[in-house]
C-alpha cells in the first residue's frame, strides 16, 4: 500500500487499512454462496476488513457477492500475482489488494488500480525497495517462516517508516505478540474460519471467533 496522498493505504479517505481491525481474516471459499453469510458473521464480530484469496474458482464471485451484499464489509482480494488479477479483482468490487510478493510490473498495476494495496515482503531489501517506491505499508509473508516477531522487531529500528500486516503461521496464541510491535498495524489469519465451521455453515461460531480475534490487540 502506498503511503502517498495519491495512493494512500486506506479503505476510506482517512483511515489506513492496517487500522480498521487488529485482524484481517484470510478467506478461502469453495462456494460463493457462502460469501455473504460468512462476511456478515465476520463484520458482526468486529472484523470488517476481509481478504478473499484468489485460490479458488469461486473467489471473484465471492468478492462480488460481499461487495454487493455486505455494505459494512471492506472486502479485498488476496494472492494477487498478475496485473490481470488486479483488474479482475477491482472490477468485482475489491476495495483493497494483497499480494504474497511483488515485482515492478505487479506493483505498477496495483498502484494504478485506485485502491489500497499491500505488496508482500520477506526480506529487508524488499522493504527498502518498496520504501524507495513510496510504499510504506506492506504484507510480511510468510511471517513465522520468515523470522516472525524477532525479525519485525529488528526492522523497526532502521526502518521505522515501514508498517506491516504479517500473515502466515499466525493464530490466536501468537497474534498478540505481533500486534504489540510498533511497526505492526494488524495481522492476517484464518483461525476464526475453521474448516468444519465453514462446511457446516456455522456462522454463529465464526462470529464468536471473530469477536475474540477483534479483542486481541494489546491495550496501550
Amino acid at each position: 500500500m502506498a503511503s502517498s496522498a495519491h495512493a494512500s493505504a486506506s479503505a476510506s479517505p482517512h483511515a489506513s487499512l492496517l487500522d480498521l481491525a487488529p485482524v484481517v481474516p484470510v478467506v478461502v471459499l469453495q462456494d460463493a454462496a457462502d460469501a455473504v453469510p460468512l462476511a456478515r458473521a465476520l463484520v458482526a464480530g468486529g472484523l470488517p476488513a476481509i481478504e478473499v484469496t484468489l485460490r479458488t474458482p469461486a473467489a471473484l464471485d465471492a468478492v462480488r457477492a460481499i461487495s454487493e451484499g455486505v455494505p459494512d464489509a471492506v472486502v479485498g482480494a488476496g494472492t494477487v500475482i498478475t496485473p490481470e488479477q488486479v483488474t479482475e479483482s477491482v472490477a468485482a468490487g475489491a476495495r483493497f489488494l494483497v499480494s504474497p510478493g511483488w515485482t515492478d510490473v505487479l506493483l505498477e498495476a496495483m498502484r494504478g488500480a485506485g485502491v489500497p494495496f499491500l505488496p508482500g515482503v520477506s526480506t529487508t531489501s524488499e522493504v527498502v525497495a518498496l520504501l524507495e517506491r513510496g510504499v510504506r505499508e506492506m504484507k510480511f509473508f510468510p511471517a513465522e517462516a520468515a523470522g516472525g516477531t524477532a525479525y519485525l522487531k529488528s526492522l523497526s529500528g532502521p526502518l521505522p517508516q515501514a508498517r506491516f500486516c504479517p500473515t502466515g503461521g499466525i493464530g490466536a496464541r501468537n497474534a498478540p505478540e505481533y500486534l504489540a510491535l510498533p511497526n505492526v498495524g494488524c495481522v492476517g489469519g484464518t483461525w476464526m474460519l475453521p474448516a468444519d465451521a465453514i462446511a457446516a455453515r456455522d456462522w454463529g461460531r465464526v462470529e464468536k471467533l471473530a469477536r475474540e480475534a477483534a479483542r486481541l490487540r494489546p491495550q496501550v
Side-chain angles (χ1 to χ4, degrees):
M1 246 182 255
S3 57
S4 65
H6 172 68
S8 176
S10 61
S12 74
H14 305 294
S16 165
L17 175 67
L18 271 61
D19 298 324
L20 286 180
V23 179
V24 176
V26 180
V27 177
V28 181
L29 281 174
Q30 304 295 333
D31 187 348
D34 292 334
V36 167
L38 175 63
R40 286 176 176 161
L42 292 171
V43 171
L47 301 180
I50 301 169
E51 176 189 336
V52 177
T53 67
L54 302 184
R55 300 181 191 177
T56 68
L60 288 173
D61 286 337
V63 169
R64 187 175 293 106
I66 295 171
S67 175
E68 296 174 354
V70 191
D72 291 335
V74 180
V75 64
T79 322
V80 176
I81 58 174
T82 69
E84 291 76 20
Q85 288 178 328
V86 169
T87 301
E88 292 168 348
S89 297
V90 174
R95 294 173 61 186
F96 65 91
L97 304 168
V98 183
S99 67
W102 66 277
T103 66
D104 279 320
V105 171
L106 180 59
L107 186 66
E108 194 60 28
M110 291 193 294
R111 196 191 296 273
V115 299
F117 56 95
L118 286 171
V121 298
S122 61
T123 69
T124 306
S125 294
E126 290 172 318
V127 175
V128 172
L130 283 178
L131 291 173
E132 283 184 351
R133 290 159 173 80
V135 180
R136 295 187 180 182
E137 298 191 342
M138 312 163 195
K139 172 177 177 172
F140 181 62
F141 176 83
E144 284 289 280
T149 54
Y151 194 96
L152 285 171
K153 186 175 182 180
S154 297
L155 290 180
S156 65
L159 302 171
Q161 65 272 52
R163 295 183 76 212
F164 301 95
C165 174
T167 304
I170 298 176
R173 185 163 55 180
N174 61 352
E177 299 171 13
Y178 282 91
L179 292 168
L181 297 175
N183 55 351
V184 169
C186 62
V187 300
T190 62
W191 72 88
M192 74 298 300
L193 302 163
D196 58 339
I198 304 301
R201 294 178 168 82
D202 188 350
W203 310 127
R205 183 180 171 199
V206 171
E207 180 180 339
K208 177 179 180 292
L209 292 170
R211 185 170 291 110
E212 293 171 356
R215 296 171 178 160
L216 285 177
R217 189 187 302 278
Q219 297 298 314
V220 178

